[in-house]
Amino acid sequence: MNKKSLLLTILGLILIIGPFFYNHYTIFRLISILIGIIVFNLGITLNKKNKILKVFLLSILSFLVTFGLDSSLVIYLNRIPILSYKIKSSNKVSTYNSFFYRVYDCNNSLIFDSFYQKKYACDIVLPEENVNSLLSHIVNNFKDYKNKFINVNGKISNISGSTSIGMQIFDTLENSINGQVRFSDNISLTIMNNGKLVNAEDLKIFDTINVIGRIVKIKNNGQNKEIIMDDAKIISRNNYKTYEISVINNKTCELDLKLMSKTEDYTYYNNCLDAIYVKYDNENIYELGYVLTDKRMNLDMLIRNQEKEENYNLELYQLNEFNLVKCKNSNNIIIGNKSLNLDTNYCERFTENETIEESEGIE
């Protein structure tokens, strides 16, 4: 090896090895290694035949060795990868994307993710953005969002089995009941599930959720736009454990029994009440029949910790806003005003195999 070859080889090694002593992300570390590989291999093959082919093959081999060393330092010594591209989602959250893996930087705490399998891995909650605001301007500013993780708050507009859930721009309806809003379908956010996000049965249309995920791409479906989000994690959602129940009494009590809801276990009837509302918060007020049908609530939740009175025919539960009768001879529940008592004869009208159609409108 002549002096020129030796000089190029040494210079190349310095350019390759030097960046490993600096544990901060900068594009110049990557550039240094790439130039170093070329210079190093030029030095080795300078006076040899088929120099171009040998430089090419040695460069590939050198890159693989360097990538293996870089990856090993990331995995075992928690180092910031050199052969990667950094995407900054916030002042505290970034990702280093490399071949076959990425690294989450959660306020200087590194989490290794082989083959891009982990959903959002940081415990840090990113600044929240309302879905209405996001979808109003993301199309014209998509490059500012691409591959970044964002925290979106909004209502679920559709659920596609276990594949994905969707959000859209929405308007709150005046005196909205059952969480319903008016969705705009010209642009939507599709959150890919991939079996990792959540059990789809746990979510309902009109549920309010906060989800952190990575903006992947934008799709044009005719005049409609679809923003795709992946690697997502739900960080908050409707809390259906805390609620208030209120009723509107029928003043003349002309109402006898009115079918309210039928579930797998029970059939529920309303007696002498114009309406029964379940309030979770100011934006989520539901009819009791709706939440029973939708499985947000069940009989056990209604009568939890309540003492009962009973006779041969029924069980009576006296709750704050209404009384509840559970018939012993059938799977029928009657919810009525405070005058409902053990002397009620409604349960005697039911038979064990009676259907809704036969019972509806009982007088």
Side-chain angles (χ1 to χ4, degrees):
M1 182 178 290
N2 59 33
K3 186 176 180 180
K4 186 175 181 181
S5 296
L6 181 61
L7 181 63
L8 288 173
T9 302
I10 293 173
L11 178 60
L13 284 173
I14 293 173
L15 290 172
I16 293 172
I17 296 173
F20 286 98
F21 291 95
Y22 185 71
N23 192 34
H24 295 281
Y25 182 83
T26 170
I27 194 66
F28 294 110
R29 289 203 304 167
L30 175 60
I31 293 173
S32 175
I33 284 182
L34 294 178
I35 293 176
I37 288 174
I38 296 173
V39 172
F40 174 76
N41 291 312
L42 279 175
I44 292 177
T45 61
L46 186 62
N47 297 315
K48 300 186 181 297
K49 295 180 179 180
N50 298 320
K51 180 170 62 177
I52 295 177
L53 178 60
K54 289 179 179 179
V55 167
F56 177 73
L57 295 176
L58 282 173
S59 295
I60 293 177
L61 179 61
S62 299
F63 180 82
L64 292 176
V65 171
T66 305
F67 176 74
L69 176 61
D70 187 36
S71 302
S72 298
L73 292 175
V74 171
I75 295 171
Y76 298 109
L77 296 181
N78 215 31
R79 303 273 294 184
I80 294 175
I82 298 172
L83 303 176
S84 65
Y85 176 65
K86 180 180 180 180
I87 298 177
K88 185 176 181 181
S89 297
S90 74
N91 291 332
K92 295 183 178 181
V93 175
S94 299
T95 52
Y96 302 102
N97 300 314
S98 188
F99 302 99
F100 312 115
Y101 75 88
R102 71 179 157 198
V103 176
Y104 286 91
D105 185 345
C106 311
N107 197 22
N108 299 321
S109 177
L110 303 183
I111 299 174
F112 186 80
D113 176 20
S114 59
F115 299 102
Y116 290 74
Q117 293 183 344
K118 294 182 185 294
K119 55 190 176 182
Y120 182 71
C122 297
D123 292 330
I124 299 170
V125 178
L126 297 173
E128 179 183 305
E129 187 163 1
N130 182 270
V131 69
N132 287 359
S133 172
L134 173 70
L135 295 181
S136 295
H137 67 261
I138 191 172
V139 173
N140 295 329
N141 301 277
F142 188 74
K143 66 180 190 309
D144 296 330
Y145 285 90
K146 188 175 182 180
N147 289 321
K148 291 184 178 180
F149 283 90
I150 63 171
N151 175 10
V152 185
N153 171 274
K155 284 184 173 289
I156 296 176
S157 59
N158 61 79
I159 300 173
S160 299
S162 61
T163 305
S164 65
I165 60 177
M167 288 185 180
Q168 294 175 321
I169 293 175
F170 65 89
D171 293 321
T172 302
L173 304 176
E174 187 175 355
N175 298 322
S176 175
I177 299 297
N178 299 335
Q180 296 184 5
V181 295
R182 183 187 297 111
F183 290 111
S184 174
D185 60 2
N186 62 320
I187 183 169
S188 61
L189 174 67
T190 298
I191 304 161
M192 305 307 297
N193 189 3
N194 297 329
K196 299 180 294 183
L197 180 60
V198 72
N199 185 348
E201 293 182 357
D202 292 338
L203 297 175
K204 309 292 182 184
I205 304 297
F206 303 120
D207 275 2
T208 300
I209 63 171
N210 267 74
V211 59
I212 295 180
R214 179 174 60 92
I215 299 298
V216 179
K217 61 182 177 181
I218 182 171
K219 294 172 62 176
N220 293 316
N221 301 320
Q223 295 184 345
N224 299 329
K225 308 290 185 183
E226 183 181 13
I227 310 299
I228 306 298
M229 173 185 280
D230 207 347
D231 300 325
K233 178 172 72 173
I234 292 177
I235 59 171
S236 69
R237 53 191 294 192
N238 290 95
N239 179 3
Y240 293 116
K241 295 181 180 179
T242 304
Y243 55 86
E244 298 176 0
I245 294 181
S246 61
V247 302
I248 299 177
N249 286 286
N250 185 297
K251 295 181 180 180
T252 59
C253 199
E254 296 176 353
L255 177 67
D256 193 357
L257 289 185
K258 179 180 179 182
L259 178 66
M260 186 168 59
S261 172
K262 183 174 183 180
T263 67
E264 295 176 358
D265 300 315
Y266 298 102
T267 301
Y268 293 84
Y269 294 92
N270 179 351
N271 172 240
C272 293
L273 296 174
D274 285 334
I276 311 172
Y277 295 118
V278 182
K279 179 180 179 181
Y280 296 102
D281 55 50
N282 290 333
E283 296 182 357
N284 291 279
I285 301 174
Y286 294 82
E287 294 171 316
L288 178 60
Y290 184 94
V291 296
L292 288 168
T293 302
D294 215 25
K295 299 181 180 179
R296 287 182 170 92
M297 185 175 289
N298 55 37
L299 178 62
D300 290 338
M301 295 172 66
L302 282 173
I303 62 176
R304 183 183 298 147
N305 300 323
Q306 296 292 329
E307 294 184 1
K308 67 180 179 181
E309 302 175 52
E310 63 181 314
N311 59 26
Y312 73 97
N313 196 33
L314 58 86
E315 296 175 2
L316 174 68
Y317 297 87
Q318 299 192 46
L319 309 178
N320 290 335
E321 298 293 336
F322 56 81
N323 286 356
L324 181 148
V325 164
K326 179 181 178 183
C327 297
K328 291 183 177 181
N329 66 334
S330 62
N331 293 327
N332 293 296
I333 306 296
I334 302 165
I335 297 176
N337 61 21
K338 300 299 291 184
S339 64
L340 196 64
N341 56 50
L342 287 174
D343 294 328
T344 179
N345 63 352
Y346 291 123
C347 289
E348 296 175 357
R349 305 184 190 184
F350 295 108
T351 62
E352 187 172 355
N353 297 318
E354 194 167 21
T355 64
I356 289 181
E357 289 76 17
E358 292 169 342
S359 301
E360 190 169 5
I362 288 179
E363 295 181 355

